Amino acid sequence: MNRLPFLLDADPHAPFPPAGLALEEPNGLLAVGGDLSVPRLLNAYRHGIFPWYSAGQPILWWSPDPRVMFSTASGGVHLSRRFRRSLRASDWVVRADHRFEEVVGACASLPRPGQDGTWITGEMRRAYGELHRLGHAHSIEVMQGERLVGGLYGIAVGRMFFGESMFSASPGGSKVALAALARRLGEWGWPWLDAQVTNPHLLRMGAVTRPREAFLRIVDGEATRPGRAGPWRDDFGVLPANAFAAPV
């Protein structure tokens, strides 16, 4: 008989159980309860754990096996040649941390096949907004003038970036956001971008799976290295989408 997930202590500074003790079914469920305070969230990500639950549920904490990741090395995020050709004349640009709340709101409201409602609840939005205010959560925004055409958001701990969600308001907007983030992270010496749970779309874009044990070793090393604290507006700069265009 499969055991129940761990019940978290009320103290937000209390340690999580080891991620390797997560359930096999449902895959990766580790713990239930607690809160979304900044100390608890940072502690979770630092140990390869993230919250994921729907409105009306208690907070559920996960560490699935395997884990899906993108290498930030050149070619780690794959854009099809056809899509890259379409970027030759693109006037999109990519930047960071200018419209965090709008990116999270777009991710929350985007209809997804087979999903009724959103897991990005009001409670989650407030918690990640606080992480953003403190310089731990970041948004990547693809802009066409003042129009937001795509983006993603996630959490940075040390030199690990943990992607949370992405969206496209125009076809390919999220792909450009992901490619731009991977390029900047690679330039900064951050080798991996966590994408949490595998799906066919991520695999087509070049994501690789790693056994949880191997993923946790990566996190243990990278999350303790010096990162980039605070807002990324200036550090990230502006990256034109046509930088990813296929050569003529």
Side-chain angles (χ1 to χ4, degrees):
M1 180 180 295
N2 209 355
R3 62 166 178 77
L4 296 174
F6 292 90
L7 181 63
L8 290 184
D9 191 283
D11 178 4
H13 298 278
F16 280 86
L21 297 179
L23 302 183
E24 294 182 5
E25 183 59 41
N27 179 14
L29 180 59
L30 175 66
V32 60
D35 57 26
L36 298 178
S37 64
V38 168
R40 177 121 40 197
L41 284 168
L42 292 180
N43 188 29
Y45 285 100
R46 194 173 289 116
H47 293 91
I49 301 161
F50 60 89
W52 185 27
Y53 65 102
S54 300
Q57 290 182 322
I59 301 172
L60 304 176
W61 301 88
W62 304 78
S63 186
D65 187 15
R67 193 71 164 240
V68 65
M69 311 172 72
F70 285 95
S71 167
T72 65
S74 178
V77 174
H78 173 71
L79 302 178
S80 72
R81 187 167 182 84
R82 179 178 180 183
F83 179 63
R84 290 192 296 124
R85 284 199 301 267
S86 75
L87 294 176
R88 289 175 185 168
S90 175
D91 59 353
W92 294 357
V93 297
V94 190
R95 62 190 192 183
D97 284 350
H98 288 258
R99 292 162 73 166
F100 181 85
E101 291 184 359
E102 190 172 343
V103 169
V104 176
C107 291
S109 62
L110 182 71
R112 302 178 192 273
Q115 181 174 309
D116 183 17
T118 178
W119 58 269
I120 308 174
T121 63
E123 183 182 28
M124 290 280 278
R125 293 175 68 167
R126 288 187 293 272
Y128 285 83
E130 181 65 5
L131 284 173
H132 174 66
R133 187 184 71 80
L134 295 173
H136 303 296
H138 304 281
S139 58
I140 308 301
E141 305 129 6
V142 184
M143 307 298 300
Q144 184 177 43
E146 288 303 307
R147 178 173 173 253
L148 185 63
V149 298
L152 63 83
Y153 76 97
I155 311 301
V157 181
R159 294 192 186 183
M160 275 296 301
F161 189 90
F162 301 90
E164 277 295 310
S165 188
M166 58 186 182
F167 82 98
S168 294
S170 292
S174 63
K175 295 179 182 179
V176 170
L178 185 64
L181 173 60
R183 176 171 293 189
R184 282 291 187 256
L185 294 179
E187 292 169 351
W188 295 346
W190 301 33
W192 294 101
L193 192 171
D194 173 44
Q196 296 184 346
V197 181
T198 188
N199 64 52
H201 173 66
L202 295 178
L203 295 176
R204 285 194 297 270
M205 289 192 66
V208 295
T209 58
R210 292 288 181 268
R212 181 171 52 222
E213 184 177 352
F215 169 77
L216 294 175
R217 285 197 299 269
I218 291 171
V219 172
D220 186 55
E222 298 300 329
T224 57
R225 298 177 67 194
R228 288 179 179 262
W232 283 2
R233 288 188 180 194
D234 295 335
D235 287 355
F236 194 93
V238 177
L239 185 62
N242 59 24
F244 302 99
V248 177

